[in-house]
Amino acid sequence: MSTNTISTPDTLEKEVSTKPKKTITKKNNDAIHLAEQLIPKKEFLVKSPQEVKEQPHFYHKIKEVEELLGKKFYEFDFDIQEAIVLRRLQQMTNNLFLNPFWKNRLKEAGITEAPKSFEEWQNIPLTDKETMVAAFNGKREGMIIPFSEGGFEIVASGGTSSGIPLETVYELEELQETYEMAGEFMGKFITDKYLSKEGPKWMATTLADYQMWSSGTMVGGVLQKIPKVNFLGAGPLNTKVFQHMMSYKGEKAIMSTSNAIALLADFGRGMDEERRNSFKIAMYGSGLMSNKQEEALREVYPQVEILSYFAATQAETIGLQLDHANQALSTVPGLHFVEIVDENGKWVKEGEEGELVITRLHTNKVPNIRYKLGDRVVRLKRLDTPELKTEQFLFKGRSGDVIHLGDSHFSAPKAEKKLFSTLVKEGIPLIEQAIEIQFSNDRKSRKLTLLVSALNANEIQKKIVDLGEEAINNLFVESLIQSLPLFNTWEANRGYIEKSKYQFFVNVVEKGSKEIFRTTHGKTPLIRDKF
């Protein structure tokens, strides 16, 4: 992701014929010309959905140019990467005009042709969750090729904020190809680095592939494609199953949610040294791990390194932590087009925080462009080495109105509504007095506080205190249970929330109190996460 003009590669060395009547040459020493040859006009600007069906997959284009240049896409100079990705984005935009849903959306934004540059690309409107629901739920109006053609898969998230499942549609063939890309990348830069070259090696995940609502169905596909590594779809673990799995000869990497990885410290106690020392990589893909959790894990597994795997239902691999000593997340070049944008959809500068936006490059039939994931990240300096040239970012937290308790997500607006209605029944009409409302979630100390600024704050707070700690706890538990989204109903019980070991509080403060966090523009976000 760069605003610089695409430059010319210093050397373009050879020529290869990939089809009987098509030869890509590098005679002009020009990255843009190379991209135009890679995606020629007849594929670049098609005239009907039927022709979209016949467009070559972008994965095969990447393989073609890798063979041409004699190295991997992630080794290409940035000017070549950018030229090819821009050409692909232009091709995808041309395809959008063949679909009434996307064509109207672009027209409303004043866009009538494919962007000529990355600057123009930033004028394309961001896709929010409401747009995604309109495009891929119900009538699926955003699909260029309909389900009747077959060969698709639906993966759904729980719809934390809206309560409506957010469905993503994938073309199965292209999904398998992106698994190959991401798996190969992980092998090169993670397992080859942290696992021994000798003896059997294992990659296990506790995420269940059968969960339609979970990105687990995506991550398992990637992990199975890591070269020279055996795969274990372990599913939910207990001590007995885990210790049996650890008895397999060879070094192990385990991928799971942050809470599940933290639990492995308890599962390993009493296990012999050989098995404990075979645990080399712990990858977490949801939430954050506290320093205390990491220390407990290393105490039991002295040789383990802890890495972050950033993914979503809409994208199987967005960012990977390649170095245990550096929290930077690296993108997989050529897999997704990752942007970090401000409130106007324009790229932020290095060192600045923004919204994470992705465009899936590997889809012809089911376009998903500039999707706003709901995550806040910091744009970092590019990683530029002979072995890898890619973008990097640092995860800061969720941007949506979502309460995180461990690995579970709760709708803050729904919880707020239930909390206030219950307080009314207790004779405390706090909602009538509220000026500002904010959930403060201290995720390290596991304290969730509903902060409300109001006039006569002391008087109201006394009534809250008189309710007692147990009543406040019950108030939160019942409100959180009723705020869970559709696909998370299995978590809707008191025991599950109590296991999170969270403490709950209601604090009524004076108007203008500094206890409530406000942005530089004076806005009060409903959620404030503290890490």
Side-chain angles (χ1 to χ4, degrees):
M1 186 174 69
S2 172
T3 56
N4 295 331
T5 303
I6 296 172
S7 60
T8 302
D10 292 333
T11 57
L12 297 169
E13 300 168 355
K14 61 180 181 178
E15 179 176 311
V16 62
S17 176
T18 56
K19 294 182 180 179
K21 295 184 179 180
K22 178 184 173 185
T23 300
I24 293 179
T25 65
K26 298 176 283 183
K27 58 188 177 183
N28 288 351
N29 294 338
D30 186 343
I32 298 175
H33 180 69
L34 175 65
E36 291 172 349
Q37 288 183 302
L38 186 66
I39 304 177
K41 187 175 181 179
K42 66 177 182 179
E43 300 168 2
F44 179 74
L45 186 59
V46 298
K47 298 178 180 179
S48 69
Q50 179 61 35
E51 291 184 40
V52 171
K53 287 173 57 178
E54 298 169 0
Q55 282 178 323
H57 291 181
F58 187 53
Y59 175 80
H60 300 304
K61 295 295 181 178
I62 286 179
K63 290 299 180 184
E64 187 177 337
V65 75
E66 284 180 341
E67 184 177 355
L68 177 69
L69 296 183
K71 54 185 175 182
K72 293 295 183 180
F73 192 86
Y74 52 72
E75 297 175 302
F76 290 1
D77 290 340
F78 283 113
D79 54 359
I80 302 178
Q81 286 190 27
E82 289 174 348
I84 293 170
V85 168
L86 179 59
R87 182 73 171 174
R88 172 58 174 160
L89 294 174
Q90 292 168 333
Q91 180 190 35
M92 293 176 67
T93 306
N94 287 332
N95 288 353
L96 293 179
F97 287 111
L98 299 174
N99 174 272
F101 176 88
W102 292 112
K103 182 179 179 178
N104 290 337
R105 182 166 169 78
L106 292 174
K107 184 178 179 181
E108 288 173 0
I111 297 168
T112 57
E113 61 181 4
K116 295 181 175 63
S117 65
F118 285 123
E119 285 73 22
E120 288 190 13
W121 168 260
Q122 295 171 62
N123 295 327
I124 291 178
L126 299 179
T127 299
D128 56 19
K129 291 186 177 181
E130 289 72 25
T131 304
M132 277 284 286
V133 169
F136 301 121
N137 285 33
K139 295 181 180 179
R140 327 276 184 189
E141 294 178 356
M143 296 179 65
I144 294 177
I145 305 299
F147 270 123
S148 57
E149 296 286 336
F152 297 100
E153 176 182 359
I154 293 175
V155 181
S157 66
T160 304
S161 299
S162 64
I164 301 172
L166 180 63
E167 298 182 342
T168 303
V169 182
Y170 291 101
E171 184 184 354
L172 281 169
E173 284 187 11
E174 292 197 289
L175 191 59
Q176 292 300 319
E177 290 163 354
T178 58
Y179 288 167
E180 290 275 1
M181 281 189 70
E184 178 188 333
F185 186 87
M186 289 185 69
K188 171 71 174 179
F189 296 104
I190 296 179
T191 55
D192 282 1
K193 177 179 178 180
Y194 287 104
L195 298 182
S196 170
K197 291 180 172 56
E198 303 298 328
K201 294 171 283 292
W202 303 90
M203 172 60 80
T205 181
T206 69
L207 302 181
D209 282 355
Y210 60 80
Q211 292 174 330
M212 174 183 171
W213 60 269
S214 171
S215 55
T217 192
M218 313 286 292
V219 172
V222 173
L223 301 182
Q224 292 178 51
K225 299 295 186 178
I226 299 176
K228 301 175 287 185
V229 174
N230 304 297
F231 175 72
L232 289 171
L237 291 173
N238 57 36
T239 301
K240 186 175 180 180
V241 172
F242 174 73
Q243 293 198 3
H244 171 72
M245 183 179 76
M246 294 300 288
S247 70
Y248 296 173
K249 182 177 176 58
E251 296 181 346
K252 288 98 179 169
I254 300 175
M255 191 277 160
S256 188
T257 62
S258 54
N259 270 13
I261 289 293
L263 283 174
L264 300 183
D266 293 330
F267 290 173
R269 299 191 190 281
M271 198 160 56
D272 62 79
E273 184 178 4
E274 182 180 356
R275 282 186 290 173
R276 287 188 289 112
N277 286 340
S278 71
F279 188 10
K280 300 293 186 178
I281 306 172
M283 299 191 74
Y284 64 93
S286 177
L288 295 167
M289 290 191 68
S290 67
N291 291 336
K292 187 175 180 180
Q293 288 174 321
E294 292 192 6
E295 289 169 4
L297 198 66
R298 290 193 180 98
E299 182 182 343
V300 180
Y301 309 101
Q303 297 190 28
V304 75
E305 299 296 356
I306 302 169
L307 303 172
S308 175
Y309 184 134
F310 191 87
T313 306
Q314 295 78 23
E316 66 280 20
T317 310
I318 301 171
L320 293 165
Q321 184 180 349
L322 306 182
D323 184 347
H324 65 278
N326 185 343
Q327 294 296 314
L329 297 167
S330 298
T331 64
V332 181
L335 183 61
H336 302 99
F337 184 55
V338 177
E339 304 173 76
I340 303 164
V341 305
D342 61 19
E343 62 273 14
N344 299 313
K346 307 299 184 182
W347 294 351
V348 302
K349 298 176 182 178
E350 285 183 7
E352 292 183 345
E353 182 178 321
E355 192 90 16
L356 187 63
V357 169
I358 59 164
T359 296
R360 186 172 183 83
L361 296 173
H362 296 261
T363 175
N364 290 329
K365 301 176 183 178
V366 195
N368 182 4
I369 62 162
R370 303 205 83 197
Y371 177 62
K372 189 167 64 173
L373 280 170
D375 294 287
R376 301 289 296 179
V377 302
V378 174
R379 181 179 176 183
L380 301 179
K381 184 178 181 179
R382 285 171 158 179
L383 183 62
D384 188 355
T385 69
E387 297 80 20
L388 176 60
K389 293 174 173 55
T390 191
E391 305 291 341
Q392 294 189 119
F393 62 90
L394 183 67
F395 176 68
K396 296 296 288 185
R398 292 288 293 175
S399 58
D401 292 335
V402 175
I403 298 171
H404 292 253
L405 264 62
D407 297 318
S408 294
H409 307 158
F410 302 81
S411 167
K414 288 185 177 181
E416 173 196 338
K417 183 177 180 180
K418 178 62 179 176
L419 281 165
F420 281 122
S421 64
T422 305
L423 284 171
V424 169
K425 293 176 183 178
E426 296 289 339
I428 308 175
L430 181 56
I431 187 62
E432 297 176 10
Q433 306 295 325
I435 300 170
E436 293 178 293
I437 300 168
Q438 185 173 83
F439 286 100
S440 177
N441 188 359
D442 191 327
R443 293 168 70 175
K444 279 193 174 181
S445 63
R446 295 178 182 266
K447 294 178 180 178
L448 179 64
T449 303
L450 174 63
L451 288 167
V452 182
S453 67
L455 300 176
N456 304 316
N458 290 336
E459 180 181 337
I460 301 172
Q461 183 63 26
K462 186 178 183 303
K463 293 180 180 180
I464 297 291
V465 172
D466 288 342
L467 286 176
E469 292 181 6
E470 184 175 353
I472 294 296
N473 184 74
N474 289 335
L475 177 69
F476 267 90
V477 169
E478 292 302 318
S479 299
L480 290 169
I481 285 173
Q482 295 190 35
S483 71
L484 278 163
L486 174 66
F487 282 90
N488 298 72
T489 52
W490 65 277
E491 298 170 4
N493 63 78
R494 177 176 296 273
Y496 183 89
I497 294 174
E498 289 176 349
K499 283 181 181 178
S500 72
K501 297 182 180 179
Y502 256 74
Q503 296 175 280
F504 304 105
F505 306 90
V506 177
N507 285 350
V508 185
V509 298
E510 295 292 342
K511 179 181 178 181
S513 170
K514 292 184 179 180
E515 287 189 48
I516 292 181
F517 170 77
R518 300 170 187 85
T519 68
T520 54
H521 299 289
K523 295 183 179 180
T524 303
L526 182 57
I527 298 290
R528 187 194 182 190
D529 281 310
K530 300 179 181 178
F531 298 100

